[in-house]
Amino acid sequence: SKVVGFIKIELLNAVVDGDILEVEVDFTTDQITALYDSEDRIIQGHPTEVVRFQDDWVFVRRIGDESPNWYVKETS
């Protein structure tokens, strides 16, 4: 898979539960996806066709944590 471009990134929800911050983000992207078998034959997708995808991701992190990293809790 290769992301060709981000079309839309939208914050859908943000919740604070104690010292945990959880945000839900909607990503709309254009991607090229192709799956190959062990003999390099395409078994799914296309190596040059751009397809639009929409995914919701939920990220979490501890408020006040010194690390800037967010963790993926869920995707759909």
Side-chain angles (χ1 to χ4, degrees), residues 33-35 42-47 49:
T33 61
L35 182 62
I42 295 174
I43 57 175
Q44 184 178 353
H46 192 278
E49 180 181 327

Side-chain angles (χ1 to χ4, degrees), residues 37-63:
D37 66 12
S38 61
E39 296 178 11
D40 213 26
R41 294 179 301 214
I42 295 174
I43 57 175
Q44 184 178 353
H46 192 278
T48 60
E49 180 181 327
V50 176
V51 178
R52 184 150 294 170
F53 286 87
Q54 185 274 324
D55 295 300
D56 289 344
W57 290 53
V58 178
F59 299 93
V60 295
R61 77 181 301 269
R62 190 170 304 282
I63 296 172

Side-chain angles (χ1 to χ4, degrees), residues 6-43:
F6 286 87
I7 306 307
K8 179 181 80 169
I9 301 171
E10 180 180 5
L11 177 63
L12 299 178
N13 194 24
V15 176
V16 175
D17 184 10
D19 65 345
I20 302 295
L21 176 58
E22 180 174 303
V23 296
E24 182 179 2
V25 181
D26 173 64
F27 293 98
T28 303
T29 58
D30 283 344
Q31 298 182 31
I32 296 172
T33 61
L35 182 62
Y36 297 83
D37 66 12
S38 61
E39 296 178 11
D40 213 26
R41 294 179 301 214
I42 295 174
I43 57 175

